[in-house]
Every structure is written in structure tokens, then in C-alpha cells.
Amino acid sequence: MPGLAVVVAPDSFKGSASAATVAAAVAEGWRSVRPGDHVAELPLADGGEGTLDAVEAALPDCTRHRLEVPGPDGRPVTASWLMLPDGTAVAELASASGLGLMATPAPYDAHTRGLGRVLADALDAGARRLVVGLGGSASTDGGAGVLTELGARLLDSLGEPVVDGSHGLAATVRVDLSGLRPLPVGGVQIWSDVTAPLLGPGGAASVFGPQKGATPDDVLALERALEGLAVLVDADPSAAGAGAAGGTGFGMLLWGATVVSGAEAVAEIVGLDRLVTAADLVVTGEGRFDEQTAGGKLVSWVASSAHAHDVPVALVAGQVAAGTAGFADVVDTSVLAGGTAGSTADPRRWLVEAGALLAARATARSDGDDPNASSDEDAPGDVGA
């Protein structure tokens, strides 16, 4: 079989491995079986965790700024933002207000003040345009923390500022936007990995609240608090992306931001289509492949790009919990490791194994062998080629 051009373009495996780690491990496994292939590592993001790293790798002329901000539980954390040569500042919610920064989930108290502090710092540094990656949030505060740090005031029945988080949102009876900082001259763009509205069964509290520690009763309370905010301000809670990052999308829309696909935006910056066009195979992946993947997640965007160029695409996931039609090959690392606990405890080991298995199957297919002949037990998610 002649040498193949392979592009490894995964998202992060949230909570266990960065996109760069995933790409490097899968590529290492592939090269261990097929050393003559050209394997390009292209770690990606869709607005969530790893967005800054993906942009910085693609645009080495940008400058990273670091500052200490209040994390989602109030403890100080070091967050970053990037200044691009054209004056665009790129920020990432996950690094300032992300769930991964919490010692334990706090569905009522977690907030987004940290992200607001990052955006204020970028504006103070002269940013002419803001890009804000939303994803991986710890809170369901409707973006109240961001708005507060940008000059808005959420007031209770006594005219006093409310506390942070959903608890404060529930006590809000008036929102004063008179002190809200103006948009930069080039505007504000949200990079979002979801298209969820603010409210309802597909909204911020119902869909994402449980991921942040919310019980069914908590979800109802979080929903009521978001409903209370929505009736006090002039923004559309049904807008696509309003429910992103616990409703932070809604708060950003209230400020005047616009929403675009984070996966598409990052893919354009890193030149995904150019690399895919020259590839014989694309390998993508994420920690959990499920029904939400099709709703704008990065894996669905990479697969669409590959299919548009008639390039086969393979999937590596920490867990496969949805149909995988359209993929030339699939490896579930939790199956390889004998369970989810094993795959998350040592993700790199099983990602290397996954890359080697994909390469072995590619060789078997080219030789006319059954690609599952020796691997049915290890990877029942394989869908053939």
C-alpha cells in the first residue's frame, strides 16, 4: 500500500486530554504501524476548551496576554486571551469560567465574572474587535457575571446589586444597562459549539444544567431564574446560541454580539479544508460522541468537510453513544480499555492504541482482508470502510 496522507484533526477529550495531546497520541499510534505515511497533526476546537491553543498554533504572530480573574467559584485563576495582528482579541470562556476550574460543581453559585474580566482587559488593551469562544461553562447565570464586569447592574427589590450566579439571577427585578461598555468598533462575535435557545426543553438549564451538577429540581429553579432575566431585557431568548454556556450566549447577544459556528471559524483559521483536500484519510474525535455532536460540535464539522471533498473520515472517541453512519472506521477507547474509567485514567495510552488500530485496519482493507478479522472484540463500534 503506498504512503497515505493522513490528517488527525480532533477536539479535546474534555476532562482527560487536550486536543493537542489527542492528535499527537493518535498520530504516534498510526506511525508505529505505518511509518511511511505522512501524518499531519491538527488539534482543533469549536469555541470551547482549547480554542486559544488552536488559534495560537495557527497564527504564531499573535500575542498571549495573561491575567488573574475570579474563577467560577470565586477562587482566583489565571486566564488568557490572544491579540491578533489586526487588533482582534480572542477570548475563551473555558479558561476563565469553565467547569474544569471548579473543585466541585455549584449549579446555583457558579458565575461568569472571570470571562467578563478577560473581555474588559482586552478592551482596555485597545482591542478593535472581540471574538469569544463559548463552551465548557460551569454556570447557568445567563451571562450575568460577564455583563456585570462590563458595567451592567443587576438589582434586587431594594435596588441593591444581587449576588453572583443563578441565586442572584433569581433575585433580580431590574437590569440597568446604562453603564455597559460600548462594543468595540469591529463588534463582538461569539464562537459557539451549540445552537440551543435560552429556555425550554432544549435550552441552557434543561440540556446543560445536569452536566454542571443540577438535579431535576435544580433544573426547574435554574430555568425560572433564566426566564426572569429574559423578561427584564430586550433580547431574544429563542435565538440560536442564546443557551450556549449556561445562557452566556444570551448575555452576549444582549450586549450586541453576533453568533457564528465556532467549529467553522476555527477550521477556517487553521486551514482545515486545504489540508483535507490533499488527504487520503481524516481522523477526528472527541471525548463523547453522542446526539449533541450533530448540533454544531467540531467532529460533525470535520466530517462534513471531509465528505465534501470525498475524503473518508474515521472517528476516535472516548465513548460512542450514537450512530456512526458515514464514518469509514470507528474506535471507542472505552472499549479498548475495558471501560470508561480505564480510558480516562490513562487516555494517552488508549489513544495511541486507537491510532495503531486504525492504521492496521487501513492496511488490512488495502490488502483485501477483513478489517475486523482480529479486532471485533476490541472495537465493536467499527463500521467498516
Side-chain angles (χ1 to χ4, degrees):
M1 184 177 188
L4 298 177
V6 181
V7 175
V8 183
D11 199 351
S12 64
F13 280 36
K14 291 179 176 59
S16 61
S18 69
T21 296
V22 176
V26 171
E28 178 183 331
W30 185 284
R31 294 185 185 108
S32 70
V33 175
R34 296 180 55 86
D37 292 345
H38 176 73
V39 184
E41 299 169 24
L42 190 67
L44 296 176
D46 53 16
E49 177 187 356
T51 295
L52 294 185
D53 292 339
V55 173
E56 187 175 40
L59 302 175
D61 290 340
C62 65
T63 303
R64 184 179 285 258
H65 296 254
R66 294 178 174 84
L67 69 156
E68 188 175 276
V69 303
D73 58 4
R75 296 180 303 162
V77 300
T78 299
S80 299
W81 60 274
L82 301 176
M83 182 72 89
L84 307 191
D86 67 356
T88 296
V90 183
E92 173 190 287
L93 180 146
S95 71
S97 305
L99 184 59
L101 302 173
M102 299 283 287
T104 57
Y108 291 106
D109 299 314
H111 57 77
T112 53
R113 276 187 177 269
L115 176 61
R117 195 75 59 88
V118 167
L119 300 184
D121 190 64
L123 291 173
D124 290 343
R128 297 177 54 80
R129 174 173 174 261
L130 291 179
V131 169
V132 186
L134 299 186
S137 71
S139 69
T140 311
D141 76 344
V146 173
L147 294 173
T148 298
E149 290 293 335
L150 293 172
R153 299 173 71 222
L154 279 70
L155 307 172
D156 63 17
S157 59
L158 299 177
E160 296 295 325
V162 300
V163 299
D164 293 326
S166 181
H167 274 314
L169 207 59
T172 300
V173 299
R174 185 163 73 89
V175 179
D176 179 5
L177 301 178
S178 61
L180 188 63
R181 296 183 67 149
L183 297 175
V185 63
V188 178
Q189 188 178 81
I190 299 169
W191 289 355
S192 177
D193 61 349
V194 297
T195 57
L198 180 67
L199 305 172
S206 297
V207 176
F208 306 110
Q211 300 172 7
K212 304 166 189 179
T215 67
D217 287 343
D218 294 336
V219 167
L220 295 176
L222 296 172
E223 178 84 358
R224 285 194 296 269
L226 292 173
E227 289 173 348
L229 174 64
V231 300
L232 293 174
V233 298
D234 185 18
D236 182 6
S238 66
T248 303
F250 181 73
M252 298 294 292
L253 290 171
L254 176 60
W255 190 28
T258 58
V259 184
V260 302
S261 163
E264 181 177 1
V266 174
E268 182 176 349
I269 284 178
V270 303
L272 176 65
D273 277 349
R274 172 179 54 81
L275 292 172
V276 167
T277 301
D280 298 302
L281 175 70
V282 174
V283 181
T284 189
E286 63 180 344
R288 178 179 169 85
F289 178 85
D290 56 23
E291 291 81 0
Q292 291 185 25
T293 300
K297 296 285 188 178
L298 183 139
V299 166
S300 65
W301 186 262
V302 174
S304 295
S305 176
H307 292 149
H309 296 288
D310 294 322
V311 176
V313 57
L315 171 70
V316 175
Q319 186 177 21
V320 176
T324 56
F327 288 99
D329 203 348
V330 177
V331 177
D332 182 330
T333 62
S334 70
V335 175
L336 289 180
T340 303
S343 65
T344 56
D346 191 3
R348 191 179 184 285
R349 172 189 173 187
W350 299 110
L351 288 164
V352 172
E353 291 282 345
L357 182 56
L358 288 175
R361 290 178 180 173
T363 300
R365 282 192 293 270
S366 70
D367 293 341
D369 297 333
D370 178 357
N372 293 312
S374 60
S375 55
D376 286 336
E377 183 176 333
D378 290 333
D382 177 51
V383 294

